[in-house]
Amino acid sequence: MTSGADRQRFVHCIFMRPTTIGSFQILRELGRGGMGEVFLARDTRLDRQVAIKALPAHLALDPDRLARFQREAKVLASLNHPGIGSIYGLEIVDGHQYLVLEFIEGETLADTLAGGPMASEETRRIAAYIAAALEAAHEKGIIHRDLKPGNVMVTTDGNVKVLDFGLARNADTGSSSTEIAANAAGPTVTAVALVASPTIPGVIMGSAGYMSPEQARGKPVDKRTDIFSFGCVLFEMLTGKRPFAGETVADTIGATLHKELDLTQLPAATPFAMRQLIQRCLAKDRHQRLRDIGDARIELDSMTNELESPATRAGVRPLRVAAVALFSLVSGVAAGSWLARSTGTAAPLDVSRLEISLAPAAKLAPFTVAGRPYEPSFVLTPNGRRIVFCGFGDSKRQIFVRSLDAAEAAPLPGTANASVAFLSPDGEWVGFLADGEIRKTPIDGGPVVTIARLTDGGLASPSPLVPADNDFFGAAWGEDGRIVFGRYSEGLWQVPADGGTPKPLSSAKTEQQRLPHFLPERRGILATVAVNDDPGIGVVPLAGGETKIIVAHGSDARFVAPSHLLYAVNGVLTVAPFDLAKLEITGPARALVSNVLHAVGGGRPALNVGTAFFDVSASGTLVFAEGGIYPVEPFRLVWVGRDGVATPVGIPDGYFARPRISPDGRRIVVSHVSASGHFSDAIPCIYDLERGTLGRTLAADGWGAVWSRDGAKLYYRRNSDRGAIYSIAADGSSQGVAITEDDGRGQPSSVLPDESQLVITRASEETGSDIYLVSPSNKEVRPWLNTTANEAWAEISPDGKTMAYGSDSTGQFEVYVQPFPGPGARQQVSVDGGTSPLWSRDGKQLFYFRPTGKQSERVTELRAVDITAGASMMIAKPKVLFSGKYQSLGGLTNYDISLDGQQFLMVEVLPPEEAPVSRLHVVLNWLQELRRTSEPRAMH
């Protein structure tokens, strides 16, 4: 019997390099590695140069390697994109198999990076090419699984080619990387050194340092594993370093799984949008990762690039923060100075980290998406010795107090259903919101005192998204004895800490001021505000008045005496020097630690409030929760029968809203939102139900599109044009035309049968959400119903004679119908709450949503009401058709009904992977170190 060694020697003997392979003449070797040998050859038939890849001799008889080789051929044959290296054929000669590939002149991206990092604009350009190539592969259901600089070619004319699909798999096979990762010498954990090969990809292998955490763990992968690899490549182009590197393969995999992303390694001139994109790509939890590489391509194509500083172009690295390394220290271990090394002789202070559980509480509360909190949940006492937090335990939500030297937290009596914990200036009282009331209780326990009912003094929510008795987004207790609190879409409010009636801080109406924190010396109140639709930080005068914007990108700031601001930017804790007298940032901001829990980025606007889950005490203690920005809840567009049975429509799961069926029933328009979850990024898309195609044929941005009655046009809001409402040909044959000059708070809702007017909902500070009519012919906008209550979800009947809408005039939203254009009294349709009315196509039934159960459970009933038109409209008793987790929108109906009235087009909310916060991180003595290392002598 022949031994394995003899068999290998036999293979080597019979597998000599051929001089010709079929009609291809071998010219020279281009490269070789453990999984392939590549030759330059001439195609004698077509007189062109090609590259030929062959398996090495020792793998030529391995069935698994042959299968991968053949799979690469089939994958490449299925792809036709200028950014992907082409295959010309698979040759079999004397029993050996060869791939005939496109010969590409240039050098690999790895060769380019050997000379150092690349400029931001060149990085952006090449990354956009790579993203476009991956997008083409993903649209074919193909995952690359081995993206790295060695598998990207930069051609001599500056184009980019993605190569080596040897590990690619179809996304629907459910294949795992287990069989690869289990072998330490296998292709996913070994980087192969090739002979200099400027024109050819590497061999069929993956590489540690580029694969995703799920791939490293041997779990099933999907297209998000390529997105992680793309983020690694993008990071390396800008820094010249891999984001997760180690001396050995094991070290590298360990870094990928456990090391925090250090964005401070990026050049100081890296544009903010690029930093944000890298962070979204390199989220270790793939449910928090960018969901579609096409979104990365769009962001790269539209990115405004900031010029690099002269120092960076000259190769001089700007001073950067090393606090991520500081925060990784275990308790009691001394850390070196950070932010910058001091040239003084003072010994560095000991900076220690503790990780504490919330027991007996199970997690922070109030929680929502994936079990994460979104309102301020914890606060440090001024002496830094105790943490007061809102937790969920024993099947109820309440306040807990955790001393750092205690084994576990103690529940605070009388705080059931509490949220938004805050402290008095001396730390002796705990304030909170519960059951619609602002309350306080001694921190060591005692009587609970009601300060105010949140709806006292005429307080009413200006938005249907947030109930008035829960419109409480952050609170601060001032030295002057008053409590200032934020609201969802209004300015700050105030109430005496000893009790009283809430009233606005300013007599003038203001917008979106939340998460207040008092500045010392009566300099004002730090608040999270809106800056160009993004969260920013401003200073509000103590008596109200005009807000001074001090940070354009960031939220939830704290003043750190004597001269710094600490705040969050997309999950990164950031510090900046701050002049308290001038109320100005005086120097560059520096990142401290990434992956801090931050309530931004999710798909539910009511939850993207900007809360950053950290606090700092005057004594020098920092506490924070990990988790990064919020994931976008995955949605699925489904048909649901009257029996409640759901069937997917066919559009890939993602984040989208406002589906509307065309009048002929053949198309759907839906607003697709990128992985950021921001409505400002929405793009109207049309899905062809017969052909199964999804196309972006409309303007670059838009929201809430509705069809014209003949299906020839669409009406939508264009966010990039001050929120004006536009019309456009549905087939994309013409440019959009504005039908309002500036209506930033308006949303198209429905269209009159004769199309003489468009029904919109529109918000104002005086009357909340109202119903307006727009005339497309002359851009006239006039109110139809604008009471002091909120009116929304306006839907005109098919005959144009009755308007259905939701109103909270009774204290909760109910559905009403009212003659149109009037006069006539309204009639109530719902009996115990309702939103989102929608007429059947024949106008004989009205449907509406009614939320049931707990708000966090997201369960919605669809109810139907028979309506008989006439001089005296007859309205039957509502009946429940079905219930489920279906997404509703504040102010706009988020479903539609088929032409035959038997199927409902619904946005199903898919269950996200739970990620509750059950532990907090505490850093001791960091504040003194910040002060010492921030002295002028340390900033050279």
Side-chain angles (χ1 to χ4, degrees):
M1 182 176 294
T2 305
S3 69
D6 291 339
R7 187 170 181 268
Q8 287 296 323
R9 284 193 292 271
F10 175 72
V11 170
H12 276 285
C13 289
I14 66 170
F15 188 67
M16 304 296 291
R17 181 192 302 174
T19 58
T20 60
I21 298 174
S23 62
F24 302 97
Q25 180 184 2
I26 302 299
L27 300 178
R28 60 184 173 88
E29 182 178 298
L30 291 171
R32 70 168 61 204
M35 281 297 296
E37 298 173 331
V38 184
F39 307 99
L40 177 65
R42 187 175 72 87
D43 184 343
T44 59
R45 291 176 181 172
L46 300 179
D47 192 24
R48 61 179 176 179
Q49 288 186 323
V50 298
I52 293 183
K53 177 189 285 189
L55 279 176
H58 68 285
L59 296 177
L61 299 180
D62 186 329
D64 180 63
R65 298 307 192 267
L66 282 173
R68 292 185 192 176
F69 201 68
Q70 293 166 355
R71 181 170 64 245
E72 180 179 8
K74 292 178 180 179
V75 167
L76 289 174
S78 70
L79 297 174
N80 181 20
H81 188 271
I84 297 175
S86 301
I87 186 172
Y88 298 145
L90 175 64
E91 293 286 325
I92 302 177
V93 178
D94 296 331
H96 297 287
Q97 300 185 24
Y98 306 91
L99 297 184
V100 183
L101 306 169
E102 176 185 5
F103 175 70
I104 305 166
E105 295 187 79
E107 65 177 8
T108 67
L109 184 57
D111 293 333
T112 302
L113 291 175
M118 303 169 63
S120 60
E121 170 56 24
E122 182 67 2
T123 294
R124 185 206 63 79
R125 187 185 69 83
I126 291 177
Y129 274 118
I130 298 171
L134 288 177
E135 182 180 19
H138 290 176
E139 287 177 349
K140 292 283 189 178
I142 294 169
I143 308 165
H144 190 288
R145 299 203 311 167
D146 193 23
L147 182 69
K148 59 184 178 182
N151 285 340
V152 176
M153 290 289 296
V154 181
T155 67
T156 53
D157 58 0
N159 291 323
V160 177
K161 298 271 189 177
V162 176
L163 310 168
D164 204 340
F165 281 77
L167 291 183
R169 288 288 180 91
N170 290 330
D172 57 1
T173 62
S175 59
S176 169
S177 59
T178 305
E179 75 281 3
I180 303 166
N183 181 0
T188 63
V189 295
T190 303
V192 179
L194 289 175
V195 176
S197 177
T199 59
I200 289 300
V203 291
I204 309 175
M205 284 195 170
S207 297
Y210 299 98
M211 56 184 162
S212 65
E214 60 269 21
Q215 189 175 8
R217 288 189 171 101
K219 293 184 177 181
V221 300
D222 57 22
K223 63 183 181 181
R224 288 171 291 184
T225 204
D226 282 350
I227 292 173
F228 187 91
S229 301
F230 173 79
C232 292
V233 173
L234 184 55
F235 185 96
E236 187 172 354
M237 283 194 285
L238 287 168
T239 65
K241 305 173 184 177
R242 287 178 292 171
F244 308 107
E247 293 184 6
T248 67
V249 169
D251 291 338
T252 301
I253 292 177
T256 299
L257 295 177
H258 305 297
K259 180 184 176 183
E260 292 180 332
L261 175 63
D262 185 3
L263 292 178
T264 64
Q265 294 189 55
L266 295 171
T270 303
F272 172 81
M274 184 76 81
R275 292 175 182 268
Q276 183 180 21
L277 176 60
I278 290 172
Q279 185 179 23
R280 295 303 295 269
C281 289
L282 291 180
K284 295 185 186 296
D285 181 353
R286 61 180 170 183
H287 296 287
Q288 299 180 37
R289 202 175 300 156
L290 196 70
R291 299 186 63 83
D292 197 313
I293 195 66
D295 292 325
R297 175 188 56 78
I298 293 172
E299 291 184 27
L300 288 164
D301 287 342
S302 61
M303 194 176 290
T304 300
N305 294 283
E306 301 171 5
L307 295 176
E308 294 178 289
S309 67
T312 303
R313 288 196 297 268
V316 178
R317 289 291 182 192
L319 202 61
R320 66 178 180 87
V321 180
V324 173
L326 176 150
F327 288 155
S328 67
L329 295 174
V330 296
S331 174
V333 178
S337 60
W338 53 284
L339 288 172
R341 290 293 299 178
S342 170
T343 58
T345 59
L349 296 174
D350 286 348
V351 180
S352 304
R353 172 179 174 172
L354 312 172
E355 186 174 335
I356 64 172
S357 76
L358 302 179
K363 54 187 172 183
L364 284 182
F367 50 89
T368 175
V369 178
R372 294 161 168 252
Y374 63 97
E375 297 174 347
S377 296
F378 59 83
V379 61
L380 272 168
T381 56
N383 61 16
R385 296 176 183 175
R386 292 194 282 185
I387 303 172
V388 179
F389 66 90
C390 180
F392 189 82
D394 295 331
S395 301
K396 64 181 179 180
R397 190 178 74 223
Q398 66 182 114
I399 299 291
F400 293 80
V401 179
R402 168 64 191 264
S403 296
L404 295 186
D405 58 357
E408 62 179 26
L412 192 59
T415 59
N417 301 321
S419 62
V420 195
F422 58 98
L423 295 176
S424 61
D426 58 9
E428 297 299 320
W429 287 84
V430 178
F432 59 95
L433 178 72
D435 304 322
E437 292 182 345
I438 306 173
R439 299 171 181 170
K440 65 180 180 180
T441 187
I443 193 170
D444 293 317
V448 175
V449 179
T450 296
I451 297 173
R453 181 77 188 170
L454 197 57
T455 52
D456 288 348
L459 179 68
S461 175
S463 169
L465 290 171
V466 183
D469 61 357
N470 197 42
D471 195 359
F472 193 75
F473 288 91
W477 193 325
E479 297 280 359
D480 57 2
R482 61 174 167 164
I483 293 169
V484 173
F485 61 93
R487 302 191 60 206
Y488 177 71
S489 56
E490 275 199 356
L492 299 177
W493 280 56
Q494 60 183 337
V495 64
D498 291 334
T501 300
K503 62 180 181 180
L505 182 67
S506 174
S507 58
K509 290 292 184 179
T510 54
E511 296 183 2
Q512 297 192 23
Q513 295 175 348
R514 312 169 188 166
L515 307 171
H517 297 278
F518 280 96
L519 285 170
E521 302 176 14
R522 301 186 58 81
R523 297 298 299 166
I525 303 169
L526 288 169
T528 298
V529 298
V531 180
N532 298 324
D533 295 327
D534 289 326
I537 298 167
V539 176
V540 181
L542 291 178
E546 185 175 354
T547 300
K548 180 177 181 179
I549 305 300
I550 56 175
V551 175
H553 299 287
S555 67
D556 209 358
R558 318 287 203 280
F559 176 74
V560 179
S563 58
H564 284 87
L565 279 189
L566 193 60
Y567 56 94
V569 180
N570 292 316
V572 178
L573 197 59
T574 304
V575 67
F578 179 68
D579 189 318
L580 181 61
K582 297 180 179 179
L583 300 179
E584 293 177 355
I585 299 294
T586 58
R590 306 179 181 105
L592 294 183
V593 62
S594 61
N595 201 38
V596 172
L597 186 65
H598 194 191
V600 295
R604 296 170 63 185
L607 307 181
N608 288 326
V609 296
T611 308
F613 290 84
F614 77 94
D615 199 19
V616 57
S617 73
S619 64
T621 300
L622 172 70
V623 60
F624 65 92
E626 289 187 328
I629 61 178
Y630 277 24
V632 176
E633 289 180 287
F635 290 166
R636 177 174 295 161
L637 205 60
V638 295
W639 291 111
V640 184
R642 287 177 176 256
D643 57 1
V645 177
T647 304
V649 171
I651 297 177
D653 298 345
Y655 188 76
F656 38 76
R658 187 63 168 159
R660 305 297 278 184
I661 304 169
S662 63
D664 61 8
R666 298 170 60 185
R667 294 165 293 169
I668 297 170
V669 63
V670 61
S671 294
H672 178 269
V673 182
S674 73
S676 70
H678 295 156
F679 290 125
S680 59
D681 296 333
I683 299 176
C685 300
I686 292 180
Y687 182 72
D688 190 307
L689 289 166
E690 295 178 350
R691 299 171 56 210
T693 58
L694 182 67
R696 300 177 178 179
T697 60
L698 305 181
D701 69 280
W703 170 248
V706 295
W707 297 93
S708 63
R709 290 287 175 153
D710 60 3
K713 289 186 295 186
L714 287 161
Y715 299 97
Y716 63 97
R717 186 179 77 178
R718 186 171 181 180
N719 296 311
S720 61
D721 188 14
R722 306 180 308 280
I725 295 176
Y726 272 67
S727 68
I728 194 172
D731 60 6
S733 61
S734 64
Q735 297 295 318
V737 176
I739 62 173
T740 64
E741 294 295 342
D742 186 353
D743 200 54
R745 307 194 76 179
Q747 300 276 5
S749 190
S750 57
V751 183
L752 268 62
D754 61 3
E755 295 199 37
S756 62
Q757 296 178 96
L758 179 67
V759 182
I760 69 172
T761 57
R762 192 182 193 188
S764 70
E765 297 295 343
E766 292 75 22
T767 57
S769 179
D770 303 306
I771 301 173
Y772 280 71
L773 301 175
V774 176
S775 174
S777 60
N778 59 14
K779 301 184 179 181
E780 179 187 5
V781 180
R782 61 183 179 87
W784 182 75
L785 187 62
N786 59 337
T787 70
T788 55
N790 287 301
E791 294 92 18
W793 301 285
E795 295 285 340
I796 194 72
S797 61
D799 62 6
K801 296 181 179 180
T802 309
M803 185 78 77
Y805 59 91
S807 171
D808 64 355
S809 58
T810 63
Q812 71 172 353
F813 276 102
E814 300 284 0
V815 173
Y816 299 88
V817 291
Q818 189 167 329
F820 182 86
R826 73 178 187 180
Q827 296 186 61
Q828 185 172 329
V829 176
S830 59
V831 295
D832 52 1
T835 66
S836 309
L838 181 67
W839 294 94
S840 62
R841 302 281 174 162
D842 59 10
K844 295 181 179 180
Q845 278 191 314
L846 188 68
F847 308 95
Y848 67 89
F849 277 168
R850 181 184 178 274
T852 63
K854 298 178 181 179
Q855 183 179 4
S856 61
E857 294 175 348
R858 308 288 298 280
V859 176
T860 297
E861 288 180 349
L862 183 71
R863 295 188 174 188
V865 180
D866 294 327
I867 294 182
T868 303
S872 178
M873 183 177 295
M874 302 296 294
I875 302 175
K877 182 179 179 180
K879 57 185 177 181
V880 178
L881 293 184
F882 56 83
S883 65
K885 291 191 175 183
Y886 299 112
Q887 172 74 350
S888 61
L889 291 176
L892 287 179
T893 302
N894 198 37
Y895 66 104
D896 208 350
I897 186 169
S898 61
L899 299 189
D900 63 5
Q902 300 304 307
Q903 296 283 326
F904 295 87
L905 184 62
M906 311 285 286
V907 179
E908 182 181 14
V909 181
L910 302 179
E913 185 173 322
E914 289 293 301
V917 177
S918 59
R919 306 185 72 82
L920 295 176
H921 298 269
V922 180
V923 184
L924 305 175
N925 298 327
W926 80 279
L927 184 53
Q928 291 88 336
E929 185 70 359
L930 169 63
R931 291 169 178 167
R932 187 182 66 79
T933 58
S934 297
E935 294 173 359
R937 59 197 174 105
M939 303 302 292
H940 59 85

